[in-house]
Amino acid sequence: MFKSIFSRLVAVFIAVLIVGFSITAVMLYYFLDNFATREKVDVLSRSAEVINQYIGIVYENLDNSYVAASLEYTIQNFSSNTNSFIMIIDPTGKIATYKPSSPEILKLLEGLEDETGQLRLKDKNQYNKVMLTDEIVKEKGNFYGLFKGSGVDWLTIEKRLKYKDHVVGAVYLHTPIPEVNRLRTSVFRLFQFAVTISILISIVLVYIFSLRISKPLKEINNAARIIAGGEFQKRLSIRSRDEIGELANSFNHMVAALQNLEEMRRGFIANVSHELRTPMTSIRGFIEGILDGTIPSERHQYYLTIVRDETTRLNRLVNDLLDLAKMEAGEMSFQLKDFDINELIRRCIIKLETQITAKDLQVEADFEEEEMLVKADADAIERVIINLMHNAIKFTPEAGKIKVSTSKHKEKVYISVADNGIGIEKEEIDAIWERFHKSDKSRSQDKTGTGLGLAIVKNIINEHSQNIWVESELGKGTEFTFTLNKGSGNEAHS
């Protein structure tokens, strides 16, 4: 039943509402009980004080019938206004007056007549306590059996009556407890009605709110299933500015990254297939031609030389792929030591001397200082320089010029390889670091390259936590620049 987030959210919110309102109801119930009782006690106590004052007036005007009638009227009004049964007794417990004189009250007073026919409280506990104190006496119950026949408990407020420091009796105000609780019941009914309306409205709001949460999550889930099936064109259109909106944006970025990765994977497979198929086809064709006699014996050495060059190219391609995979997986370790980058550049130029001479190229070395120490992996940086210079040689026309320079700035050493070759188109500059990318689409100028050189260069520089960038202008040349940390010289001279 509660397998979905939507149903769980609705259930949790409704449970929270019910628990919250239940706790509030219990607290309100007891608060209203105390409040109603306290308010009733205050009202009855003030009424008792007023009646006490009237009693004093009556004693001062015993012969005035108007004053006596006024007392009767006042007691009757207090009885009506406070919904209470009022009695006035003398110190011996005789009931002097009582209001209202309803049949119900008369029934409760049955059996209180004494031998003279006067009504009298028979239990001294009903009046002894109040006669001994000026404080208001409050009691709950059936008033020592007086109201036992009513079937309910009563609240009784007792006040001693005095005239000129003489106790002349006491006034009692009795109210049934259900009458005291009537206020609480009325307020509680209003609260129940308000709670019912609130719960209904809250359920509707919770339903809408839960839908706003669960619907985007369902959309994300469905999109994830589609993408898991290999369809990377799916995008989410969730525009909320909360965490779900951020999740949707991250999801879309992830899908875009997966799509790019998939395109790169397909391109990689296509490029590897192309790079492997071409030399393998040539090798197979030449060997079959030699074996079946299509190629005459005097041409065997020529074509076997081609086969050797193609196998060398295949070997270099496989090695480059393995090295690149290790770099990208972080499995290739570099030994950082101090060495002279200028000396390394001289050795690289010597290694490429044959290719440089073959194209009659002019190589210029511009070193800011005779010795320029850097802290890096010498073998890896040699590979970087060889690859950059090989590119410069390859794309520089005959009798062209290549310039290699080093300079220092703060704690960095800048190494540049520049040529005056064909240059790179602006829209291709960002793509030259990709595997198998070749700026000459026809590949007419790059029969021996693997298309992995610059990708390897980029990874080596990244592993050194350094930067590399390129500046190029079509038809005027290209300049690659990378940075290395300056060496301390301790290791180089040790």
Side-chain angles (χ1 to χ4, degrees):
M1 179 180 179
F2 298 108
K3 292 183 178 180
S4 66
I5 291 180
F6 172 76
S7 60
R8 290 177 182 176
L9 283 173
V10 172
V12 168
F13 278 126
I14 292 177
V16 169
L17 286 173
I18 292 175
V19 170
F21 281 127
S22 298
I23 293 174
T24 304
V26 172
M27 293 179 66
L28 181 64
Y29 184 85
Y30 285 103
F31 169 78
L32 287 176
D33 181 46
N34 294 332
F35 175 79
T37 302
R38 188 169 60 251
E39 286 295 307
K40 196 67 175 180
V41 168
D42 289 343
V43 170
L44 296 179
S45 298
R46 289 194 299 269
S47 300
E49 294 286 355
V50 174
I51 292 173
N52 187 24
Q53 295 174 6
Y54 266 90
I55 293 295
I57 297 173
V58 169
Y59 272 92
E60 290 178 354
N61 300 275
L62 291 176
D63 298 330
N64 192 328
S65 60
Y66 174 77
V67 172
S70 177
L71 176 61
E72 289 285 329
Y73 179 75
T74 299
I75 294 175
Q76 181 65 46
N77 280 342
F78 275 121
S79 176
S80 300
N81 293 336
T82 60
N83 292 317
S84 60
F85 164 45
I86 300 176
M87 292 191 307
I88 295 178
I89 66 169
D90 65 11
T92 64
K94 186 176 71 173
I95 300 175
T97 183
Y98 54 90
K99 299 292 181 183
S101 304
S102 62
E104 293 80 7
I105 297 301
L106 292 175
K107 188 174 181 181
L108 292 174
L109 299 180
E110 288 179 356
L112 295 183
E113 296 90 350
D114 57 12
E115 60 278 3
T116 63
Q118 294 289 326
L119 295 176
R120 186 185 299 275
L121 297 177
K122 293 186 176 181
D123 192 334
K124 292 185 178 180
N125 291 321
Q126 295 172 326
Y127 57 87
N128 277 351
K129 186 188 301 182
V130 68
M131 298 299 176
L132 300 175
T133 178
D134 285 329
E135 301 295 328
I136 295 289
V137 177
K138 180 182 72 173
E139 296 189 62
K140 279 186 178 182
N142 59 16
F143 197 52
Y144 304 99
L146 178 63
F147 302 117
K148 187 175 182 180
S150 66
V152 296
D153 289 337
W154 290 63
L155 170 66
T156 300
I157 298 299
E158 307 167 25
K159 173 65 177 175
R160 183 172 68 175
L161 302 176
K162 294 178 68 176
Y163 177 70
K164 293 183 179 181
D165 295 328
H166 295 288
V167 176
V168 296
V171 58
Y172 292 77
L173 293 95
H174 308 280
T175 300
I177 294 297
E179 177 65 29
V180 176
N181 294 334
R182 188 173 65 177
L183 173 62
R184 181 186 67 181
T185 303
S186 300
V187 174
F188 202 70
R189 284 177 181 173
L190 290 175
F191 174 76
Q192 288 176 323
F193 177 76
V195 166
T196 302
I197 299 298
S198 299
I199 289 179
L200 292 176
I201 295 174
S202 298
I203 290 174
V204 173
L205 294 177
V206 166
Y207 181 84
I208 297 173
F209 177 71
S210 301
L211 277 181
R212 291 190 63 184
I213 294 179
S214 61
K215 186 177 179 181
L217 293 178
K218 287 182 180 178
E219 186 177 343
I220 294 173
N221 183 47
N222 293 333
R225 290 180 179 176
I226 293 173
I227 291 165
E231 299 181 20
F232 296 100
Q233 291 75 28
K234 178 66 177 177
R235 295 293 186 276
L236 297 173
S237 58
I238 300 172
R239 296 290 181 264
S240 59
R241 296 183 179 180
D242 52 14
E243 287 82 356
I244 294 180
E246 293 178 2
L247 175 62
N249 290 333
S250 300
F251 185 90
N252 286 336
H253 289 312
M254 179 195 70
V255 175
L258 287 174
Q259 187 174 16
N260 291 335
L261 186 62
E262 177 65 14
E263 291 174 356
M264 289 176 61
R265 183 187 68 83
R266 292 177 180 176
F268 175 76
I269 293 174
N271 286 321
V272 170
S273 300
H274 175 81
E275 294 293 339
L276 293 176
R277 187 184 297 114
T278 301
M280 290 176 67
T281 302
S282 299
I283 293 170
R284 180 179 179 181
F286 293 143
I287 292 177
E288 287 180 349
I290 291 172
L291 291 176
D292 61 18
T294 303
I295 300 175
S297 58
E298 63 271 14
R299 300 285 291 172
H300 284 182
Q301 184 175 356
Y302 172 76
Y303 285 107
L304 287 175
T305 302
I306 296 176
V307 169
R308 182 195 63 190
D309 293 341
E310 291 297 321
T311 55
T312 301
R313 182 184 172 193
L314 281 174
N315 184 65
R316 186 167 62 251
L317 174 62
V318 172
N319 288 336
D320 286 347
L321 282 172
L322 290 175
D323 289 345
L324 187 59
K326 288 180 180 178
M327 291 179 193
E328 292 180 344
E331 297 176 357
M332 184 170 286
S333 59
F334 295 101
Q335 301 298 321
L336 304 183
K337 294 183 178 180
D338 287 355
F339 64 90
D340 184 3
I341 187 67
N342 294 346
E343 180 60 28
L344 180 63
I345 291 172
R346 294 187 188 100
R347 292 202 304 265
C348 292
I349 293 173
I350 293 171
K351 288 182 179 182
L352 297 171
E353 184 177 0
T354 303
Q355 300 178 38
I356 294 170
T357 304
K359 294 187 72 173
D360 192 23
L361 299 175
Q362 178 187 353
V363 178
E364 177 185 342
D366 182 13
F367 301 148
E368 186 178 281
E369 296 179 4
E370 182 63 26
E371 185 181 54
M372 192 81 71
L373 296 180
V374 297
K375 190 176 185 65
D377 186 293
D379 293 335
I381 299 304
E382 180 180 351
R383 191 170 188 178
V384 169
I385 296 172
I386 290 289
N387 282 346
L388 293 179
M389 290 194 66
H390 183 269
N391 267 6
I393 294 169
K394 184 166 48 181
F395 294 109
T396 301
E398 291 186 4
K401 181 179 178 181
I402 297 174
K403 181 179 179 180
V404 184
S405 61
T406 60
S407 61
K408 277 197 272 189
H409 181 69
K410 295 183 178 180
E411 296 301 315
K412 297 289 184 181
V413 174
Y414 289 74
I415 302 96
S416 299
V417 177
D419 63 66
N420 61 349
I422 61 175
I424 306 171
E425 295 180 2
K426 289 183 178 181
E427 57 270 17
E428 290 191 0
I429 286 181
D430 291 335
I432 62 175
W433 310 108
E434 296 177 5
R435 293 170 292 188
F436 298 111
H437 178 81
K438 294 184 180 181
S439 59
D440 56 320
K441 299 300 182 182
S442 65
R443 300 176 183 259
S444 59
Q445 299 187 43
D446 191 9
K447 295 294 185 181
T448 60
T450 63
L452 297 174
L454 290 180
I456 292 173
V457 166
K458 182 72 170 177
N459 274 276
I460 291 174
I461 297 301
N462 286 343
E463 287 296 320
H464 281 74
S465 300
Q466 300 299 314
N467 297 316
I468 184 169
W469 62 92
V470 59
E471 297 175 356
S472 182
E473 188 174 349
L474 202 61
K476 292 187 177 182
T478 304
E479 181 179 9
F480 286 88
T481 304
F482 64 93
T483 63
L484 292 174
N485 287 328
K486 190 166 61 174
S488 63
N490 296 330
E491 296 177 14
H493 295 92
S494 60

